[in-house]
Amino acid sequence: MQIEFIAGIGAIMTIIGFVTVFIKLGIDKGDTSRRLQNVEQKVAEHDRDIELHDKEIHGIQKETAGFMAKIETSLSFIKDCLARLEKKQEKSDA
């Protein structure tokens, strides 16, 4: 009688152990899923930020190119003016 009672308690403990393991696995899977969703959201946010930064950089590059063209034009004009002044100076010295 005692052996049957001990065997019954052992079977119940084994079943409780299996249930506990499966519950723990379920909890861990849920936690992993939640973490994965958070990571995916953060990655999506970073992708949007990268796209915005790329657009900003492209706009800055356009503005810089225009500014550099204006500076180059101004420098060319200044060089031409200096060359003309130099020629006038040479003529007046001669």
Side-chain angles (χ1 to χ4, degrees):
M1 186 89 186
Q2 288 180 346
I3 294 177
E4 292 172 357
F5 181 70
I6 292 173
I9 290 176
I12 291 172
M13 295 301 286
T14 302
I15 292 171
I16 291 173
F18 281 125
V19 170
T20 304
V21 168
F22 287 123
I23 289 173
K24 178 65 175 155
L25 288 174
I27 290 170
D28 287 345
K29 183 180 178 194
D31 187 44
T32 302
S33 295
R34 183 185 52 79
R35 286 182 177 176
L36 183 62
Q37 285 177 341
N38 288 338
V39 169
E40 287 174 347
Q41 287 175 348
K42 287 180 182 180
V43 168
E45 290 173 7
H46 290 303
D47 284 344
R48 286 191 296 271
D49 288 344
I50 289 170
E51 288 176 13
L52 289 175
H53 290 306
D54 285 345
K55 289 178 183 178
E56 288 176 7
I57 288 171
H58 184 68
I60 290 171
Q61 287 174 340
K62 282 183 177 179
E63 291 175 8
T64 304
F67 180 71
M68 293 302 290
K70 288 178 184 177
I71 288 176
E72 187 176 341
T73 303
S74 297
L75 288 175
S76 296
F77 176 73
I78 292 170
K79 285 180 183 177
D80 290 342
C81 288
L82 289 174
R84 280 185 259 146
L85 285 173
E86 191 176 321
K87 285 181 184 178
K88 283 184 183 179
Q89 183 68 28
E90 287 174 1
K91 287 181 181 178
S92 65
D93 288 343

